[in-house]
Amino acid sequence: MAEFLELESQDGVRMPWNVIPGTKQESSNCVVPVSAIYSPIRPLPNITLLPYSPLRCRTCRSVLNPFAIVDFAAKIWICPFCFQRNHFPPNYASISDDNLPAELFPHYTTIEYSQDNQIGQSPPQPPLVFLFVIDSCLIEEEMGFLKSSLSQAFDLLPDNSLVGLITFGTLVHVHELGFAQIPKTYVFRGNKDISKEQLLEHMSFFAKKPKPPGVIAGARDGLSADSISRFLLPKADCEFAFNSVLEELQKDPWGVPTDQRATRCTSTALSIAASLLGACVPGSGARIMAFIGGPSTEGSGAIVSKNLSEPIRSHKDLDKDSAPLYHKAVKFYEGLSKQLVHQGHVLDLFACALDQVGVAELKIAVERTGGLVVLAESFGHPVFKDSLRRIFQAGDYDLGLSSSGIFEINCSKDIKVQGIIGPCASLEKKGPLCSDTVIGQGNTTAWKMCGLDKATSLCLIFEVVKKESPDATIQSTSNQFYFQFLTYYQHYSGQMRLRVTTLSRRWVAGPGSIQDLVAGFDQEAAAVVMARQVSFKMETEAEFDPIRWLDKALIHLCSRFGDYQKESPSSFSLSPRLSIFPQFMFNLRRSQFVQVFNNSPDETAYFRMILNRENVANSVVMIQPSLISFSFHSGPEPALLDVASIAADRILLLDSYFTMVIFHGATIAQWRKAGYHNQPEHQAFAYLLQAPRDEADSIIKERFPVPRLVICDQHGSQARFLLAKLNPSATYNSDGPLPGGDVIFTDDVSFEVFLDHLQRLAVQ
Amino acid sequence: MASYLPPGAPRPASNANNPPSSQPPPNFRANPNSLADNLHNLNFNSAAPRAPSPLPGTPFPRQATQPVSPFPPTFSHPAPFASRPSPSVVPPPGARPPPFVSSASAGLASNGQPVFASGALPGGQWFPPPGSAPPTMAMAMARAPPQPQPPNTTSRPLMGSSLIRAPPVQPASPFAAAPQARQPPTTGYPYGQPTWPLQPGQGAPPPPITGSPQPPRMFGMPPPLPNQSMTSVSPAVGQIGAPVAGASKIDPNQIPRPIPGSSVILHETRQGNQANPPPPATSDYIVRDTGNCSPRYMRCTINQIPCTDDLLTTSGMQLALMVQPLAIPHPSEETVQVVDFGESGPVRCSRCKGYINPFMKFIDQGRRFICNFCGFTDETPREYHCNLGPDGRRRDADERPELCRGTVEFVASREYMVRDPMPAVYFFLIDVSMNAIQIGATAAACGAINQVIADLPEGPRTMVGIATFDSTIHFYNLKRALQQPLMLVVPDVQDVYTPLQTDVVVQLSECRQHLELLLESIPTMFLENRTAESAFGAATKAAFMAMKGTGGRLLVFQSVLPSIGIGALSAREAEGRTHLSAGEKEAHKLLQSADETLKAMAIEFAEYQVCVDVFITTQTYVDIASIAVIPRTTGGQVYYYYPFSAVSDPAKLYNDLRWNVTRPQGFEAVMRVRCSQGIQVLEYDGNFCKRMPTDVDLPGIDCDKTIMVTLKHDDKLKDGSECAFQCALLYTTVNGQRRIRVTTLSLPCTSILSNLFRSADLDTQFACFLKQAASEIPSRPLLLVKDRMTNLCINILLSYRKFCATVTSSGQLILPEALKLLPLYTLALIKSKGLRTDGRIDERSFWINYLSSISTPLAIPFVHPRMVAIHDLNSKEGDQSLIPPVISLSTEHVNDGGIYLLENGEDCLIYIGNSVDSDILRQLFCISSVDEIPAQFVLQQYDNPLSKKLNDLVNEIRRQRCSYLRLKLCKKGDPSV
């Protein structure tokens, strides 16, 4: 396991198969696809920034890397991807065996280039643009929470950033922050779609001169800086205006009958925001930050009618296709996502309401643009407040928000790319590398990542196309596959950078390769790939049975890689490389990603969006929560994710990524209630109580979105957050109570039963 | 053109319709012959509607003579002026020869009538040289009939140019020598006068306050010769029958002219249980309501109702009512009494729903009453029962206003309300497009509004809103909770909406500071505005949506042609010009509304009780014809400031706005006129919306608005009976009370034609003409309209001559006394802006719109303006009246050394002669010579008595007209407006 982590810290890559099944047949037998979880701008300890442009292969445009074969005498390098012989340019003249450029250092498989530093002076950094889109259909209390969070957030904005403000309810208000005399807003109808051209005309961008022909895009194409600065102003210039608008922002004044939902035109507001940015700052990094406090009921993206008697769509409605507005809304947001991707802008979503707000519909726009998403039940909830602060916070835990990313891929010719499951959008750059089978954003070798941050992780899925050939094993010298990942992006410092990661992986084929494959199997990465894949399939494939699919995959994998005698379940054993994979699958089957019926479509969409952007370690926590036990008897120690871990004298800390639960055993809870920890003689108890808090805090600090912290006692109502995640080894059907005294009221099978079945089926 | 020809010189045959010659024309382009032709044709039963063009040389006399022979003397013998003061023309009572003599001499000097002279007159030697203008049209017209003489040569617009273009050669003597001669004849002369008695001023009319409420003319006194002409204007000495005949020598001073009475008339509406014919609408009178309504509220074109339709048709007169339900009474009149019937509401006829009035006849000891409209016998409501007195009247009749007054106001009960009475909502909508800003219109509008806020009714019921617009619409949230007003821009002008449900229209008390702040900052806020487009239609609609819930007054300040958004208009004036040159066929279409959407909007506005007034402050064409549809349909009105001047117009704008919001007015009104059996309403005409055939909807109604109600017979009326008319206006007062104003007029029926002529009401008849002309102009070619107007006049006169006059010389024009001014007015109408093609389209549109709601007293001066001399104000010491004597509209009365003020209730022109004493100029205008006349004039009061008098005079006129007047200075030779 450790070596995988090491590889990750070198390149930001985790692959389920670090030894690659070398043929098409083999790879399909391996169940888990050949794939990689890649974090394009993960901070790496040993990364070097080169202040010059990369050297590229003449034919395949791949970048010079340590795997290239260099002929120092001839000043030639051979591209490992296409075997093209390339001459070094004159500035590489002094190259020699012991005078290598950094990009050829063997351990610099991942390296960054920044052309900006070439001449020593960087061009003026394009300012970051933040366009706030605020829902005004909120009750006063929520409005108050939101206002205070926003004004705090405003203070944290970088000084050179540009700020714009749109509020919406029944109508959309675009605030002209640059209008000095009195507060001024443009008001648009909520139920009417409006194109970018109409918007330009309506906002009188061309009042002072005739409209230039063709596409309008920013200052370069005829839009005066004056016009832009009416709506997007440097933070310092609009601080007063922004705050006064915010201060006077009132609940949407259009009356709402008691049997109706508020008229909330979320989609129109977002569309106008996108068009405004598209008109003013196309191509440079800008974020639309949408703060939404309820379901969208107006415009093309409405998710539910205004009539309260009609409930908001549930998973069941979606399955039965009885959510009349769903497809229309999704289609609308798909269009919006295309527009945003084209413009290079990000949509961040802060959905804070007890009701669903339409995250499921919005998902596509957020995910394609690489936006952030936070779901909380109130604007006053710490999940929202702390998350918002985290976004703008500088320091160790900043998110490293970067923008305008383009991700490209090169790989050896026997490998093709099926697609990426993750926060990116296809640029539709087709090439010989593209596989016919498409998963996620496929059919391309380049992707747009409008917004990306340190955590952003893409799941690339490959296809091995090498045919079975007898001489394949003979040529053992060339049994390497090469992958090169190129990420151009605007670093949050404003610099344009290119990160190049070049990987080499050995492939094996034929009999006897199983051991090699097992040795290179990264079960965590595999579990995450499976999770992303199953989520994707659930969303896209009709009539898809995820449990069956997962079970089949697991059985198939176990019967291929397990040690057993046929028809003898008791003889079954798995290599340590595979041993916890069944447990991951067991928990994945029970997770919110697969068992959606407990959640609203919004929640599911939210969980999946986070899953699709997080790295392996965090994703594993989402699939299989971690449980730490605290007690007087021992220090903090991992506990089994099992109901048996509950004990009266223990405190358990469950981390399921989205929720952290601090669970006090019955005795501890009694003591706590009695207030012993406040008495000096029971300081030890106070420490014990505090320890899980500290642990939780340290986890929360690093995480975005900020998880929800639940502190509960055994047998309390909030304890369900823990119990839902535990293996039901003791249920109300069990014979006798466990020492911990807790049972789970479920008919779900326990892990033991699951394993039994697995062994039986695997050996068949 | 024609006037530049020497008299008697050969004229181009095509004279009638030809385009202006290359010489500077005196603003006359209409067909000058049509009037004469038609007169001629009518008189002589010729079928041809238009006579062939006159022959060169002797156009008119020849024509006239052709059919009728006894005219030759006319040509051969110039009338001897000396014979004029013949006994028959001398006014019998206190006749004063001097005026006559002097007038004759004035006539002698100036009487060189080129027209009349024609080629046939040998004595050309005493004609003025070519170019010297003869008396104005008005006189020519009056003189025309005896020998159908088209007044073409002299025709001039009444407004302005006739004065400006004073003849270069002015006989200096008459004015100076005989100032008395110019004293206008007074009102008083008895019917007996066969000819025009020029009775000098002060003497004749019995002082009205002496207790005789009978104004001395036109009514009351039976004419000595029942069927004889009331007035006949004969050629010169006419009746003497002497062959002198001098048809061409009609003394212009003999022409009947309006003579404003300087004293107040007392008028009782009924006397001896008989309807009393009302005094002229233009006179100053005090009414005592004794059963019939005051003529201010309602007056009929004829004060006796013809029993049959045939009789009416024979008379050639129109039967119509002018209803001005909220007219302002004279300060000395008793106010309209309010009657509260409580929950049950006013007593009404159960069949026709007519309201209780003094003419309902109670019978059966008061237990039942007979409706004077439908004749139905109703049960008297128990609580309303009262015994009858010996005279058959209810004993309480004199205590109950509804039983003894022609006008009462009932408090409306619940059943008259579909909702609570609406608040007083005022929404101001201001054009801030580039042009509006640059010409200063926006600033003027904001300034005016800012001042007017103080005049709005106090209290929580007064709500205001404000919005501005260019190519987008800007609303303002005026809620007090906000630190500053918030501007809300509605950019979509194709599909508008209101940006806020509340807070756009706010209680005045809540937003006064915000409003003031905002109005001050709007002009600067948009100072740099470069948006030339103006979304009038969309803005109006958006504002309407903001006030839809309540209704109210929407005051729009518009400065350019609406060019974008809903109801955008095109600059069709330019297209119109090409049409015009192409043959004038479609010219009148420019006066029609171009856009159906505006019409539809207007109807929607009216439905939601939004009344729109449009203040057009512009220097360009804005297509009033299209815009005006909205105010016309919603009971509003158009104000027009062209060319807008940031110097002189803001004061008028403010005053107009102030009057608009402060004048007595009502909201959400419905009006219906009921008539006695036999008569029914044919049509309503005015500024309103009509959704039901019987009622008119008036989102706004004010004291200035008049509605013409034309009537028709559907049955015979009984001779000797009375026919009643009742106008019921249900409205909400500014204070939020729902009221029904009921105005009842009962007039006797007659089957005698001469009674009709005797009781004809000239002012009402003419107002009726005007409104008909105004409504016809947009829909038919101008020539037809002119012909129609002329024919209307001729038909009446012909009928009178045919059926009522004793046989007289056919060369004599015989005028019914009551209608003796009709020809003069008709001529004035034909020469007015709306009936000429040389004016700007917008001005004509405005003229048409102005007339559509104009009241009777204002209608006449609007086409026949009043002129007074102001250079000698000081010399009229001791004169009671602030207004100096009126001067006839004739160039011969305009002196080069004088300054004259001409006003028509809307515009006011001050003409400064060429040789005015510079001292007077300095005193009045603070300029030393005529050349320093400012283009944009603001009347100021300087520290001298003359200036003070002028200011007093102007203020008095303003008061009379309820209008601030657009003042303009001009001097001789200025291009006419």
Side-chain angles (χ1 to χ4, degrees), chain A residues 667-706:
Chain A
T667 313
I668 304 265
Q670 276 174 4
W671 291 346
R672 193 166 77 109
K673 240 174 247 161
Y676 286 127
H677 54 289
N678 295 328
Q679 297 171 6
E681 64 268 35
H682 293 295
Q683 210 169 18
F685 179 59
Y687 288 138
L688 180 64
L689 277 184
Q690 190 57 40
R693 293 288 194 92
D694 294 342
E695 179 69 22
D697 285 347
S698 71
I699 295 171
I700 287 171
K701 216 161 37 185
E702 292 179 34
R703 203 164 273 175
F704 183 91
V706 170

Side-chain angles (χ1 to χ4, degrees), chain B residues 290-587:
Chain B
T290 51
N292 266 348
C293 66
S294 154
R296 294 183 206 281
Y297 303 121
M298 180 153 70
R299 55 196 299 156
C300 187
T301 49
I302 315 171
N303 289 305
Q304 296 194 24
I305 304 303
C307 284
T308 62
D309 194 26
D310 287 346
L311 188 65
L312 179 67
T313 317
T314 309
S315 78
M317 287 191 282
Q318 315 256 327
L319 187 59
L321 298 167
M322 288 292 162
V323 186
Q324 192 179 357
L326 296 183
I328 305 180
H330 192 279
S332 319
E333 288 170 16
E334 94 178 331
T335 52
V336 175
Q337 298 196 44
V338 180
V339 180
D340 192 349
F341 275 86
E343 272 309 290
S344 59
V347 175
R348 299 174 71 172
C349 167
S350 57
R351 186 160 77 181
C352 70
K353 297 287 174 196
Y355 289 84
I356 186 80
N357 63 68
F359 309 100
M360 296 259 186
K361 190 167 167 49
F362 282 84
I363 53 169
D364 203 5
Q365 279 92 52
R367 281 197 288 274
R368 291 187 296 161
F369 63 93
I370 302 170
C371 172
N372 57 335
F373 301 109
C374 63
F376 187 72
T377 308
D378 288 276
E379 295 288 329
T380 311
R382 180 182 293 253
E383 63 278 9
Y384 195 62
H385 178 262
C386 176
N387 279 327
L388 304 185
D391 54 353
R393 295 179 74 221
R394 277 170 60 123
R395 288 184 185 281
D396 63 351
D398 291 332
E399 281 88 69
R400 287 190 177 269
E402 74 274 16
L403 295 179
C404 64
R405 293 283 177 261
T407 309
V408 285
E409 204 156 85
F410 295 111
V411 175
S413 57
R414 269 276 143 206
E415 78 182 283
Y416 295 89
M417 303 181 204
V418 284
R419 56 170 185 179
D420 285 337
M422 60 183 254
V425 177
Y426 300 90
F427 198 101
F428 301 98
L429 186 59
I430 309 164
D431 187 351
V432 292
S433 62
M434 184 170 69
N435 280 316
I437 294 284
Q438 283 174 356
I439 64 174
T442 306
C446 291
I449 297 167
N450 213 347
Q451 291 176 62
V452 152
I453 289 169
D455 296 314
L456 292 176
E458 288 289 334
R461 295 187 56 85
T462 305
M463 323 256 288
V464 287
I466 190 162
T468 56
F469 64 100
D470 45 29
S471 65
T472 57
I473 308 152
H474 326 116
F475 284 88
Y476 299 88
N477 183 343
L478 298 170
K479 213 173 170 176
R480 192 174 21 193
L482 302 177
Q483 288 172 355
Q484 308 184 67
L486 163 68
M487 186 200 277
L488 299 149
V489 183
V490 173
D492 190 345
V493 291
Q494 296 299 340
D495 180 13
V496 293
Y497 39 93
T498 166
L500 277 178
Q501 197 174 32
T502 53
D503 300 346
V504 166
V505 179
V506 191
Q507 281 185 7
L508 176 61
S509 50
E510 269 200 11
C511 67
R512 213 177 273 271
Q513 287 92 355
H514 276 350
L515 199 59
E516 282 166 11
L517 183 85
L518 184 63
L519 286 165
E520 275 161 28
S521 55
I522 283 174
T524 47
M525 214 150 68
F526 292 98
L527 201 58
E528 296 298 308
N529 197 351
R530 292 285 168 274
T531 311
E533 311 273 17
S534 165
F536 165 81
T540 317
K541 177 135 195 201
F544 155 71
M545 289 168 111
M547 55 198 299
K548 199 171 172 178
T550 51
R553 283 199 100 90
L554 174 59
L555 302 131
V556 190
F557 297 81
Q558 170 74 21
S559 293
V560 289
L561 183 74
S563 55
I564 194 171
I566 308 168
L569 301 170
S570 64
R572 57 182 175 148
E573 187 202 27
E575 296 162 36
R577 282 206 200 94
T578 48
H579 273 295
L580 213 61
S581 56
E584 221 177 287
K585 252 189 226 152
E586 303 283 298

Side-chain angles (χ1 to χ4, degrees), chain A residues 208-283:
Chain A
K208 293 183 186 170
K209 53 182 178 179
K211 187 180 164 181
V215 186
I216 309 301
R220 289 188 302 275
D221 296 326
L223 205 59
S224 69
D226 280 356
S227 308
I228 297 171
S229 66
R230 288 162 57 202
F231 299 100
L232 300 176
L233 267 81
K235 176 193 166 191
D237 296 351
C238 69
E239 190 160 6
F240 176 76
F242 185 90
N243 280 323
S244 65
V245 170
L246 207 59
E247 198 176 301
E248 296 195 337
L249 183 63
Q250 293 181 342
K251 187 175 185 297
D252 193 48
W254 297 79
V256 182
T258 45
D259 60 341
Q260 302 240 308
R261 295 186 174 90
T263 311
R264 188 182 274 111
C265 60
T266 316
S267 57
T268 317
L270 291 176
S271 158
I272 286 173
S275 296
L276 182 63
L277 287 181
C280 293
V281 288

Side-chain angles (χ1 to χ4, degrees), chain B residues 117-147:
Chain B
S118 305
L121 277 169
Q125 69 277 4
W126 46 267
F127 292 131
S132 94
T136 55
M137 276 304 293
M139 306 158 212
M141 165 65 198
R143 268 176 288 129
Q147 33 169 48

Side-chain angles (χ1 to χ4, degrees), chain A residues 23-37:
Chain A
T23 64
K24 191 173 176 150
Q25 186 56 45
E26 295 256 359
S27 68
S28 63
N29 283 340
C30 284
V31 184
V32 179
V34 176
S35 51
I37 308 276

Side-chain angles (χ1 to χ4, degrees), chain A residues 240-382:
Chain A
F240 176 76
F242 185 90
N243 280 323
S244 65
V245 170
L246 207 59
E247 198 176 301
E248 296 195 337
L249 183 63
Q250 293 181 342
K251 187 175 185 297
D252 193 48
W254 297 79
V256 182
T258 45
D259 60 341
Q260 302 240 308
R261 295 186 174 90
T263 311
R264 188 182 274 111
C265 60
T266 316
S267 57
T268 317
L270 291 176
S271 158
I272 286 173
S275 296
L276 182 63
L277 287 181
C280 293
V281 288
S284 64
R287 306 189 84 93
I288 297 170
M289 306 195 112
F291 299 86
I292 301 169
S296 169
T297 53
E298 185 94 329
S300 306
I303 64 162
V304 69
S305 79
K306 275 172 228 155
N307 205 332
L308 270 174
S309 62
E310 186 189 313
I312 303 179
R313 79 273 176 287
S314 66
H315 276 295
K316 206 170 166 191
D317 296 325
L318 295 181
D319 284 347
K320 287 194 299 189
D321 206 14
S322 59
L325 299 168
Y326 179 77
H327 293 292
K328 187 177 168 226
V330 169
K331 197 158 174 249
F332 171 83
Y333 286 118
E334 194 171 357
L336 183 70
S337 75
K338 281 193 182 127
Q339 183 187 351
L340 285 170
V341 167
H342 180 71
Q343 295 167 188
H345 298 147
V346 187
L347 173 62
D348 295 329
L349 180 61
F350 300 87
C352 299
L354 290 167
D355 255 340
Q356 300 188 64
V357 308
V359 179
E361 287 84 352
L362 272 158
K363 177 174 186 276
I364 185 166
V366 176
E367 197 160 51
R368 297 266 167 90
T369 60
L372 304 172
V373 57
V374 175
L375 185 78
E377 55 201 40
S378 152
F379 285 111
H381 200 280

